[in-house]
Amino acid sequence: MDDSQEVLLMLGNEAIARGAIEGGVQVATAYPGTPSTEIVETLASLAKDYDLYVEWSVNEKVAFEVALAASYCELRALTAMKHVGLNVASDTLFTAAYTGVRGGFVVVSADDPNCHSSQNEQDNRIYGLHAYVPVIEPSSPQEAKDMVTYALDISEHHKVPIILRTTTRLSHVRGPVKLNPVRRPKKVGSFIKAPERLVCLPANARRMRLEAISRLKNVEETFNHSSFNLVKGSSRIGVIACGLAYAYAVEALERLQDHHNVSILKLSTVYPIPRKLLNDFLKDKEKVLIIEELEPFIELQVKALCHELNLEVEIHGKDLIPLAGELTPQAVFKGIASILGVKVELPKNIELKSQAPPRPPILCAGCPHRNTFYAIKLAVRKKNVEAIYPSDIGCYTLGYYPPLEVVDTTLCMGAGVGLSCGLAKFSGKIVIATVGESTFFHACIPALINSVFNPSNFILIVLDNSFTAMTGHQPSPVTGMNAMGQKVKPVLPEDIAKACGIEFCKVVDPYDLDATTSSIAEAIDYIKRGLGPAVIIARRECSLILLRKHRSGIIKLIRRRVDPELCKGCLACIKLVGCPALIPRSGKVVIEEEMCSGCGLCERACPHKAIGLVE
Ligand code: SF4
Ligand code: SF4
């Protein structure tokens, strides 16, 4: 990223990273989570150039607290997380609104309408309302960049944390972004003791709640004059839109301009709403449509304001705009046409001439944990037991799909181990939980301690591939390297498990299918005897990293191939293993060499011994 005033094509998340640098952020933290990951990934890659401190923290609460500490030390800080990550950090968020901040402090919440890569849809603007924290919402990558700087200034001026809310579409859309010069404060952190503000004892907290409310009033006054809010037109029919919905509304109004005149208010400062600005917009309106993604967040505030100010405006919102899922230009067009009472031909969805063929989501070829899941099935069969499989958030959740089908529950980070504590006690079945090592560090350790403290007999298999793989291979505490590329001491899940009091703790290599299967079988015997929880660490580097190392000559992988003479085309290999490197071709199966990591699982599955090592 250049410092000069040029225009670059940027992802929304890259623009946010650039905004942080232009705004003088010195500390940035996150736990990786789609759709927010690229913000801190970009900042990590620029850490040296701009003298930033950047970290992948073990979870969002820790990320929030590290960045907040920087702000308490008068440094500008940013923490970024996906919407569900803010649930994890919310405990600290609510109290941070009371303590206030010193250096500008921005919390980026990247929401995921339509659950593209998440377990739920949630509208995190509501956190602002609940926690007394201002919320702003950009509608383009350019605004995303500029609004980070704006948020840092407002935050520092009013001493409040600020939520910058984006959605998947904005995080991942590319758009032209005009750069501004970078502020390089090079400030040294300084902490001033203020226990009356930072120690949230009840007596202090009661006072600070009132301070938080009054800070919000001051922010509202600033928001009334924000240049990110914009009014166009003077028709008695109006539209209020925020975030990407504004871009969709502009597009729809351009299509309808020959028919009708509509005035539009782009609202970027969504909490607290700028009441004076809204009053000026609403007072001469007959009816107004509020267009926003997910919850009726603006709609409810505007309805309350109309009631309070006795404004007789007909307010529409979620009666005409969908409440669930991602907004589309078509849905917005339909909503606006309907408030105007015009019959219009709806634009069709854009159809691409050539599209990638639809494929079910599947574990990568050679994923070591396809082998682990397969070994679980073999061990359960060998021991002839009925098992329940709680799991967690990560690429291994794909073990839910056939042919593996070894994921029975996935709720949120760490819930698999907590559920196992209960399921092992109440279901009467063998419980085998799986979790990636990054999620283990993020949220599983308290539940693991609970399984010793309130004895529960289940098996926890930590699927360790030495990276937070799903979000793009960010280092995890096992990797031995941090976000800024420093070599650090690896933290091993087996050491943690032993420290939690787990007595059955083994480390296996999932490519060694026999050893993995017999360790799981042994653990089944152990928990059947009621000897306590058992932990197995299945450790093998992510296959994508293995292939990368192989291609660059760092390691040499052994490969497998199918002997066409011996292959009967029965497809048992595909049906049992489901590895995408196995391709049916001309009545037989071939192995796609570029994808194969040589794990050997398909060789085990072939009943005709048609798969063997490449000599
Ligand atoms: S050896 Fe077989 S199962 Fe393993 S990656 Fe190659 S094709 Fe897939
Ligand atoms: S299981 Fe063996 S014989 Fe059957 S299709 Fe696969 S490679 Fe061929």
Side-chain angles (χ1 to χ4, degrees):
M1 283 198 224
D2 204 304
D3 283 9
S4 60
Q5 293 203 15
E6 58 179 304
V7 176
L8 294 181
L9 200 61
M10 281 184 171
L11 274 187
N13 280 346
E14 290 168 348
I16 290 171
R18 172 70 194 193
I21 292 171
E22 288 183 3
V25 153
Q26 287 177 273
V27 173
T29 63
Y31 178 80
T34 311
S36 65
T37 310
E38 297 85 359
I39 300 168
V40 161
E41 199 157 61
T42 306
L43 289 169
S45 70
L46 298 169
K48 277 202 190 90
D49 299 348
Y50 291 102
D51 198 15
L52 310 172
Y53 174 80
V54 183
E55 76 168 43
W56 292 117
S57 311
V58 286
N59 66 30
E60 295 82 359
K61 185 171 181 292
V62 175
F64 190 107
E65 286 158 0
V66 172
L68 181 63
S71 164
Y72 284 162
C73 294
E74 240 184 338
L75 302 177
R76 288 195 160 192
L78 173 143
T79 184
M81 54 201 71
K82 66 182 294 173
H83 60 302
V84 287
L86 196 53
N87 300 340
V88 180
S90 61
D91 216 1
T92 315
L93 168 79
F94 277 73
T95 310
Y98 279 28
T99 66
V101 301
R102 288 181 76 210
F105 181 52
V106 173
V107 182
V108 181
S109 169
D111 296 2
D112 188 17
N114 206 34
C115 306
H116 289 284
S117 56
S118 313
Q119 63 269 40
N120 67 19
E121 283 181 331
Q122 65 184 49
D123 189 332
N124 279 4
R125 296 177 300 175
I126 293 169
Y127 267 115
L129 186 80
H130 196 180
Y132 296 105
V133 171
V135 183
I136 56 174
E137 199 175 354
S139 59
S140 66
Q142 177 71 57
E143 269 198 358
K145 180 195 74 96
D146 294 339
M147 282 171 80
V148 175
T149 314
Y150 175 72
L152 286 162
D153 290 344
I154 299 275
S155 163
E156 199 162 290
H157 180 73
H158 291 290
K159 308 288 175 221
V160 284
I162 291 205
I163 295 175
L164 179 97
R165 187 249 194 170
T166 67
T167 53
T168 308
R169 195 65 48 180
L170 181 60
S171 293
H172 290 160
V173 78
R174 269 187 198 279
V177 176
K178 186 171 178 300
L179 305 187
N180 285 328
V182 166
R183 296 188 209 170
R184 308 284 288 272
K186 284 212 182 292
K187 239 183 180 177
V188 179
S190 75
F191 181 78
I192 300 170
K193 284 192 184 202
E196 71 291 348
R197 191 167 57 81
L198 296 180
V199 180
C200 295
L201 285 166
N204 289 338
R206 281 184 217 115
R207 186 196 72 244
M208 289 193 291
R209 177 178 164 89
L210 300 177
E211 287 171 11
I213 294 167
S214 108
R215 278 196 290 265
L216 216 53
K217 284 205 180 358
N218 297 337
V219 172
E220 184 192 320
E221 194 39 42
T222 304
F223 282 178
N224 272 319
H225 308 287
S226 171
S227 59
F228 289 104
N229 299 323
L230 191 79
V231 177
K232 278 189 203 162
S234 55
S235 161
R236 288 174 65 77
I237 298 182
V239 158
I240 299 175
C242 53
L244 263 197
Y246 170 71
Y248 297 159
V250 169
E251 194 183 313
L253 291 173
E254 273 167 13
R255 283 171 192 275
L256 288 161
Q257 68 184 358
D258 292 343
H259 304 271
H260 286 274
N261 191 8
V262 174
S263 53
I264 185 163
L265 165 59
K266 173 168 85 74
L267 196 60
S268 297
T269 60
V270 297
Y271 184 74
I273 52 163
R275 291 149 54 95
K276 185 176 174 316
L277 174 75
L278 275 156
N279 183 23
D280 290 348
F281 181 76
L282 291 165
K283 65 185 178 206
D284 61 352
K285 297 286 175 287
E286 274 168 26
K287 52 182 170 180
V288 165
L289 173 66
I290 295 166
I291 307 172
E292 55 191 326
E293 209 156 26
L294 296 182
E295 302 298 327
F297 183 72
I298 307 290
E299 184 185 336
L300 293 177
Q301 294 186 76
V302 168
K303 279 179 174 164
L305 186 71
C306 287
H307 177 74
E308 205 178 302
L309 301 177
N310 277 325
L311 297 172
E312 288 190 11
V313 189
E314 193 181 311
I315 302 289
H316 293 271
K318 290 297 161 184
D319 53 337
L320 301 177
I321 298 291
L323 177 63
E326 197 173 17
L327 267 191
T328 60
Q330 286 83 354
V332 171
F333 186 75
K334 198 172 156 194
I336 295 179
S338 140
I339 190 182
L340 291 171
V342 288
K343 280 206 167 28
V344 287
E345 184 109 343
L346 285 182
K348 288 202 176 79
N349 280 322
I350 301 161
E351 279 176 24
L352 296 176
K353 284 218 169 81
S354 68
Q355 278 181 316
R359 283 186 309 157
I362 196 167
L363 290 171
C364 300
C367 171
H369 301 308
R370 176 178 283 103
N371 299 46
T372 313
F373 284 137
Y374 196 73
I376 293 173
K377 292 179 92 160
L378 291 179
V380 164
R381 200 176 314 145
K382 188 169 159 191
K383 289 289 152 191
N384 194 22
V385 290
E386 224 186 307
I388 307 175
Y389 305 111
S391 192
D392 244 298
I393 306 281
C395 36
Y396 51 90
T397 312
L398 298 172
Y400 161 81
Y401 289 102
L404 296 168
E405 296 171 299
V406 269
V407 171
D408 287 326
T409 69
T410 301
L411 267 65
C412 61
M413 299 291 276
V417 188
L419 284 177
S420 295
C421 289
L423 290 169
K425 284 197 171 77
F426 312 127
S427 73
K429 297 202 170 121
I430 295 290
V431 174
I432 306 178
T434 47
V435 65
E437 95 282 354
S438 188
T439 308
F440 174 82
F441 290 111
H442 179 288
C444 295
I445 298 166
L448 192 61
I449 295 170
N450 188 65
S451 73
V452 177
F453 177 48
N454 297 296
S456 300
N457 301 302
F458 63 86
I459 303 169
L460 172 63
I461 304 183
V462 181
L463 308 170
D464 181 350
N465 59 13
S466 307
F467 285 94
T468 312
M470 188 175 177
T471 44
H473 298 110
Q474 292 76 28
S476 80
V478 176
T479 315
M481 184 187 68
N482 65 19
M484 297 191 293
Q486 275 174 321
K487 260 187 125 185
V488 290
K489 186 176 177 184
V491 183
L492 300 175
E494 55 270 34
D495 294 341
I496 303 279
K498 284 178 201 155
C500 291
I502 303 291
E503 285 170 12
F504 186 109
C505 184
K506 286 184 181 265
V507 180
V508 296
D509 175 0
Y511 277 12
D512 186 342
L513 196 63
D514 289 332
T516 305
T517 307
S518 57
S519 292
I520 299 169
E522 201 188 322
I524 291 174
D525 288 338
Y526 181 83
I527 61 165
K528 271 172 91 178
R529 294 209 303 278
L531 297 175
V535 172
I536 294 173
I537 319 294
R539 177 170 297 134
R540 175 57 81 141
E541 217 169 15
C542 171
S543 58
L544 297 180
I545 300 285
L546 289 176
L547 285 169
R548 215 173 284 161
K549 284 185 177 171
H550 173 77
R551 282 184 208 118
S552 52
I554 298 169
I555 57 164
K556 190 152 175 52
L557 289 171
I558 51 167
R559 298 297 182 112
R560 255 80 186 176
R561 69 180 278 274
V562 180
D563 183 338
E565 300 292 314
L566 297 175
C567 178
K568 305 277 185 263
C570 65
L571 303 187
C573 50
I574 292 176
K575 287 181 199 146
L576 288 169
V577 170
C579 173
L582 298 163
I583 315 276
R585 192 170 293 155
S586 314
K588 311 251 175 185
V589 163
V590 294
I591 290 178
E592 178 63 53
E593 199 188 310
E594 280 299 298
M595 294 166 83
C596 172
S597 71
C599 73
L601 189 61
C602 54
E603 183 177 348
R604 288 290 296 265
C606 174
H608 302 287
K609 305 219 176 308
I611 304 179
L613 287 173
V614 174
E615 295 303 324

